[in-house]
Amino acid sequence: MFTGDASGDFLYPALYRAGLSSAESAVSADDGLQLHDCLITAALRCAPPQNKPTPEELRRCFPYLRAEIAALASVRVIVGLGAIGTKAAIDALKANAWTIEPARWRFGHATQIQAHKDKRRITIIASFHPSRQNTNTGKLTAAMFDAIFERATELART
C-alpha cells in the first residue's frame, strides 16, 4: 500500500525516521522494505476515480477493514490517515463492540480518540493524509507527521 506514489513518498520516510520501517522508500512489493511493529491497511481497497471514494465504495470495503482490525489482537495504536481513514478505523472498532470516547469526535490533526473493550485500550491518532495536496501546500509537514508517529510509538510502548 502507498508504494510508488506521492503519498508513499511522504509516508515511508516518516515511518523510517520513527523506526517503523527498514527503508525510506517503497517502490514495489518485492523491494525488501520491512515494517516493524506496524501494519498499513486502508478503508478502500482500490484507487477511486478523482481520488474521492464514494460512500458505496467505502461500504463495500468495510468488511475487510473490520476483519483486519479484529484480527490484530495486540494492536494498541491506530494512526488514521485523513478524515476518511480515521472514521473508518473508528467505525471498524465500533462494529467489533469497542466503546469510543469521545462518542462525538471531530477530525483534527493529532486528535486522539480512545477505544475500550473489556480491559483493552486502543488509541486512534488522527493525521492529515499525506496526499500531495496536503504536503505540497504545507498543511502537513514532515515535522507534523513525525510528531504523529513519535506519539504513536510512545503510546504503543506504554
Side-chain angles (χ1 to χ4, degrees):
M1 190 119 10
F2 294 110
T3 53
D5 71 13
S7 295
D9 292 345
F10 201 82
L11 173 64
Y12 286 105
L15 293 175
Y16 181 76
R17 290 188 299 270
L20 299 170
S21 172
S22 65
E24 292 184 272
S25 66
V27 293
S28 69
D30 60 355
D31 61 11
L33 178 132
Q34 293 182 355
L35 297 175
H36 309 293
D37 297 324
C38 70
L39 168 78
I40 297 175
T41 188
L44 195 62
R45 305 294 164 145
C46 62
Q50 283 121 24
N51 220 13
K52 294 185 183 209
T54 66
E56 179 58 26
E57 289 170 326
L58 290 165
R59 220 177 354 268
R60 286 183 186 160
C61 293
F62 183 73
Y64 299 102
L65 181 64
R66 179 182 178 189
E68 216 167 30
I69 289 176
L72 299 173
S74 62
V75 68
R76 298 173 92 173
V77 180
I78 295 172
V79 174
L81 299 181
I84 291 171
T86 303
K87 182 179 181 327
I90 290 168
D91 289 348
L93 288 167
K94 282 182 180 177
N96 288 318
W98 287 77
T99 300
I100 304 298
E101 295 176 16
R104 291 179 53 124
W105 63 275
R106 188 173 162 166
F107 179 81
H109 183 76
T111 298
Q112 292 185 182
I113 301 110
Q114 299 299 318
H116 303 272
K117 183 177 181 181
D118 302 322
K119 294 182 180 185
R120 286 191 58 207
R121 183 189 83 209
I122 296 174
T123 302
I124 301 109
I125 305 173
S127 173
F128 291 131
H129 191 283
S131 68
R132 197 174 274 171
Q133 177 182 352
N134 289 339
T135 59
N136 285 351
T137 61
K139 184 175 185 176
L140 178 63
T141 66
M144 291 168 66
F145 215 33
D146 287 349
I148 293 292
F149 290 107
E150 286 171 22
R151 181 67 178 143
T153 56
E154 175 186 305
L155 288 169
R157 292 184 183 121
T158 61

